[in-house]
Amino acid sequence: MITVEALTKTYSRFTAVNDVSFSARAGRVTGFLGPNGAGKSTTMRMMVGLTAPTSGTATIKGRAFADLPNPGLEVGVLLDASAQHAGRTGREILGIAQRTMGLPRARVDEMLHKVSLTDEEAERRVKNYSLGMRQRLGIATALIGDPEVLILDEPANGLDPAGIRWMRDLLREYADKGGAVLLSSHLLHEIEVVADDLVVIGNGRIVAQGTKADLLAAAGTLARADRPAELAAALRGAGITCTLNADGSVRTDVGAAAVGQIALQSGIALVELRSADSAGLEEMFLELTATSQRDSTTPSTERSAA
Amino acid sequence: MSTATIERTAPVSRPARVHEPIPMTRLVGVEVSKMFNTRSGFWLLASSGIAAAVATIATVLFAPKDQLGYGNFAGAVGFPMSVILPMIAILAVTSEWSQRTGLTTFTLVPHRGRVIGSKLVATLGVGAVSIALAFAVGALGNVIGSSIAGVPVRWDVSLGSAALIFLADALGMLMGFTLGILIRSSAGAIVGYFVYALVLPAALGTLASFQDWFASRQGWIDFNFSVGNLYDHIPSSKEWAQLGASGMLWLVIPLAVGLWMVRRSEVK
Ligand SMILES: Nc1ncnc2c1ncn2[C@@H]1O[C@H](COP(=O)(O)OP(=O)(O)O)[C@@H](O)[C@H]1O
Ligand SMILES: [Mg+2]
């Protein structure tokens, strides 16, 4: 439903978004993942016409955003929950969206209820809202027009664990009903639970994309042994690249069978052997985006020399 | 807080919906309500009413009996209006940037020209109503003040000069609006307006008193000066031309440049 083709944004000489192409499909949650400054927000602003692209196009249901007659009814957008007039109440802010879209007044109360803002909270000025409350209000604004597409920039920021869980369920249900959700985050954990597809961006470029299942399958194997250093040495001895993590786990790109075989041959007792799943994805995320990280630290204390 | 009920369990694909474009009248209505529903906006509008009332009462109390007349009242209520209305115009524009509400506004209506246009209509509408109310308060003061003083009620302002005051106030508002669009920051635009309204007249007045070449051309160049004439007398056709020329320089061209910049600028 969202199609981004070769989007590029250059600020004077700095290229913030570089030839980015991906799509977000109906019925799926697409996670847009990347470290701070990777270009997620810039890409999303270009999708909704707030920033003019240097080149490339973004379309929603085949049309440019500016060509949507009443965009709020087709695309729910939350780019920055803090970007609200501090002197308005939550209810007033929702009311502006409701009136602009030409919706019945009752939608405001429905939405307040949906995002669990109480009547008393709705009468408070946004100045006195916590970031989590602002996110809820922003979600309400995005959902009020009952759109088929959602574009949310880091919506989980500032939410408490229960709030994150709530948001996840909400987005899941939204996608299950046929909506397309594009959701950005700089935290893998936050996104991998809910996303069906992942688009990973680093330094303005797409570094990986695909279904979460595919990306996880490529994530390798994780093993724990009572003598982890020996396991790592044994693997390296067999010519297998591996990483010894700080928590004593060993990760490698080869399959579980090969790791088990080598452990057996070396007489090392394994206590855990499984697909690396999120740990692997995390590592992959850090690797893929390493050049764009401002801190060059890696999650492992020791990296394979091989 | 942690659970939410989602009422519909609709089928996986929905029928395609056709949406009507947002009518301009609705946008103007939304912009008017945005001018009222912030604390600053509310108090600005309220203060224009309060100022009109205070100015009227002061005129009743302090004006000499023999000078009571609608001209005094209109002048008294007019001055606070000419200060407050441009502020209202400025904030109507700049809050989208200073408060960053533009992020929502310009995604709900991805045509900045339409948004600015409806703001302009809303601003001028609110301005016209405010000025009319101020005139009405002044008229009430004139009737009450004259009867307290025991003098006949004098209506010494012609409809023509009332219309000119109206026009002058509207032009002041447009100047604020233009500065708002050019500067796009509440504080910056307000400072800009006071430079235009207070500092510049003094500076250009001084220039005119020392430089004959400027004094003879001031009307053509100095918009504030030409607008000031409207409060004073019915302009000659030459003065109308001067108002047009200086207005082109101070209003029309900056507004066009500002609009062009607003449409190109990044909203973030
Ligand atoms: N107006 C601008 N001028 C110059 N650089 C900018 C501008 N806006 C954003 N950037 C840069 O573009 C990069 C991407 O920013 P952003 O899209 O906000 O990243 P993310 O949302 O992924 O954290 C950052 O390095 C940021 O500093
Ligand atoms: Mg961002």
Side-chain angles (χ1 to χ4, degrees), chain A residues 34-36 38 200-205 207 281-299 303:
Chain A
N36 293 322
V200 186
I201 185 171
N203 247 343
R205 288 176 181 278
V207 288
L281 201 55
E282 171 107 63
E283 187 140 327
M284 185 188 74
F285 173 50
L286 284 162
E287 258 168 42
L288 289 172
T289 58
T291 45
S292 62
Q293 290 279 39
R294 39 198 90 237
D295 314 308
S296 56
T297 53
T298 54
R303 296 203 67 116

Side-chain angles (χ1 to χ4, degrees), chain A residues 4 155 175 299:
Chain A
V4 171

Side-chain angles (χ1 to χ4, degrees), chain A residues 193-275:
Chain A
V193 195
V194 64
D196 304 300
D197 298 316
L198 287 175
V199 176
V200 186
I201 185 171
N203 247 343
R205 288 176 181 278
I206 301 290
V207 288
Q209 62 177 317
T211 65
K212 185 175 64 180
D214 287 348
L215 290 175
L216 281 178
T221 304
L222 188 101
R224 285 174 198 278
D226 49 0
R227 300 187 312 257
E230 282 180 35
L231 176 64
L235 287 169
R236 281 170 201 153
I240 293 168
T241 305
C242 67
T243 311
L244 174 58
N245 292 321
D247 62 359
S249 62
V250 176
R251 198 191 75 81
T252 166
D253 290 337
V254 301
V259 177
Q261 196 64 44
I262 289 164
L264 178 66
Q265 283 162 8
S266 320
I268 300 169
L270 291 178
V271 293
E272 188 179 357
L273 180 63
R274 61 175 171 86
S275 155

Side-chain angles (χ1 to χ4, degrees), chain A residues 37 40-42 153-154 184:
Chain A
K40 304 181 295 293
S41 302
T42 306
D153 195 4
E154 312 239 3
S184 81

Side-chain angles (χ1 to χ4, degrees), chain B residues 14-106:
Chain B
R14 305 196 256 185
R17 293 178 293 185
V18 180
H19 302 290
E20 296 297 312
I22 305 173
M24 201 66 186
T25 46
R26 192 196 291 162
L27 289 183
V28 172
V30 169
E31 289 302 333
V32 169
S33 67
K34 281 161 77 174
M35 293 165 79
F36 285 94
N37 72 8
T38 67
R39 192 172 280 182
S40 49
F42 172 80
W43 280 110
L44 257 177
L45 283 164
S47 67
S48 65
I50 294 167
V54 169
T56 302
I57 293 168
T59 309
V60 170
L61 292 179
F62 303 123
K65 268 187 195 184
D66 57 330
Q67 282 180 24
L68 275 182
Y70 191 54
N72 273 325
F73 284 97
V77 298
F79 176 70
M81 281 296 148
S82 67
V83 178
I84 292 166
L85 292 181
M87 300 297 116
I88 289 175
I90 286 173
L91 291 185
V93 178
T94 55
S95 65
E96 299 284 1
W97 282 270
S98 282
Q99 297 279 343
R100 301 182 60 224
T101 47
L103 238 61
T104 309
T105 307
F106 296 123

Side-chain angles (χ1 to χ4, degrees), chain A residues 11 51 80 88 99 146, chain B residues 17 26 37 39 100 266:
Chain A
Y11 293 109
T51 293
D80 186 343
R88 287 196 184 111
R99 287 187 60 192
D146 193 23
Chain B
R17 293 178 293 185
R26 192 196 291 162
N37 72 8
R39 192 172 280 182
R100 301 182 60 224
E266 188 174 28

